[in-house]
Amino acid sequence: PDSQYQIIRQNKNLLTSYLRGRIIGLQSYKCLDDNQFQDLLSLRRKDLVTLYFSKDLNFSEKQNDYLKTDRELLKFFIEKHINIINFDQDLLIALDDRDTTLKFLNTNINFIQTKFKDYIQNDKELLLTYIKNVLLKDKHHHFLNLRIFYFPLIYYFKIN
C-alpha cells in the first residue's frame, strides 16, 4: 500500500482524485494520516481542504493546529461543528470572534472547558449570555455549572 501511494503521489491529478475519494469515504472516527494531510495541503485545493474539515472526524493535533492558521476555514469549521458535545473550545478562543462565541454560548452550555471559562469571564457580555442561558435552560441540572462562576462573578461585578 505504501509503494502504491508513492506512485499516486507522483501524479497531481491522480493524487487529487485519490485524496478526494479518501475524504469522501472517511468515517467519523478516522482522519487522514499526517503524510496524506500534508499532501492535501500541498495540492492547494481549498475545496478539498474545506470538504475534509466539513467531516465529523477526530482530527489530529497537527490538523487542528493547521485550522488555527486559516481564519476563514476555522470559522467555517466551528460553525459546522459548534453543536458537538465534545467540541474543542480552544478553537473558539483561537478564532476570537465575538459573534461566533455568542452563537456557541446560545446553543451549547452543557459543558464549558476551564480555559474557555476563563476566556468568557473576561467579557461581561459573554459571561452574562452564558449565565442567562444556563438559568433559562434546566434550572436544576445546570445550576451546578454556575458555581464555577459564582465567586469570580461577585468579584467581577464588584470590581467593574
Side-chain angles (χ1 to χ4, degrees):
D2 286 338
S3 61
Q4 289 176 339
Y5 186 67
Q6 294 306 320
I7 293 169
I8 291 170
R9 289 181 76 207
Q10 294 172 6
N11 182 313
K12 187 176 179 177
N13 290 333
L14 192 56
L15 180 60
T16 301
S17 296
Y18 174 79
L19 288 176
R20 180 182 291 113
R22 286 273 296 129
I23 291 167
I24 291 169
L26 287 172
Q27 299 298 317
S28 62
Y29 57 89
K30 185 77 171 144
C31 62
L32 294 177
D33 65 37
D34 287 338
N35 290 335
Q36 292 173 341
F37 183 70
Q38 287 305 315
D39 289 339
L40 175 63
L41 297 179
S42 72
L43 291 172
R44 299 188 189 286
R45 293 281 308 265
K46 187 137 181 108
D47 61 323
L48 287 181
V49 173
T50 302
L51 175 64
Y52 180 63
F53 281 109
S54 72
K55 306 284 272 182
D56 182 19
L57 305 172
N58 290 326
F59 297 103
S60 72
E61 186 176 333
K62 188 179 283 187
Q63 294 169 13
N64 275 335
D65 288 344
Y66 174 78
L67 258 178
K68 293 174 186 176
T69 67
D70 183 333
R71 187 169 173 81
E72 180 183 333
L73 183 61
L74 179 59
K75 188 169 184 165
F76 165 80
F77 177 81
I78 289 171
E79 288 175 353
K80 179 119 176 78
H81 295 91
I82 207 162
N83 293 320
I84 295 175
I85 291 171
N86 61 349
F87 177 75
D88 182 1
Q89 295 164 13
D90 285 347
L91 296 175
L92 277 167
I93 295 169
L95 181 62
D96 195 29
D97 180 81
R98 180 176 214 68
D99 292 338
T100 306
T101 302
L102 284 169
K103 182 177 179 183
F104 173 77
L105 290 171
N106 284 318
T107 59
N108 190 345
I109 60 162
N110 293 326
F111 178 72
I112 299 295
Q113 297 163 356
T114 303
K115 194 173 176 183
F116 187 71
K117 175 190 69 109
D118 294 340
Y119 174 74
I120 66 173
Q121 276 185 333
N122 294 323
D123 184 302
K124 209 180 266 189
E125 182 183 4
L126 296 178
L127 182 59
L128 289 174
T129 299
Y130 173 73
I131 292 169
K132 175 191 76 162
N133 288 326
V134 167
L135 292 174
L136 290 176
K137 296 276 181 179
D138 178 9
K139 294 175 188 166
H140 302 292
H141 177 70
H142 294 292
F143 184 73
L144 294 176
N145 289 340
L146 278 179
R147 71 176 182 207
I148 62 174
F149 290 105
Y150 182 68
F151 292 113
L153 190 65
I154 291 170
Y155 179 74
Y156 184 82
F157 287 111
K158 282 184 179 178
I159 299 291
N160 296 312

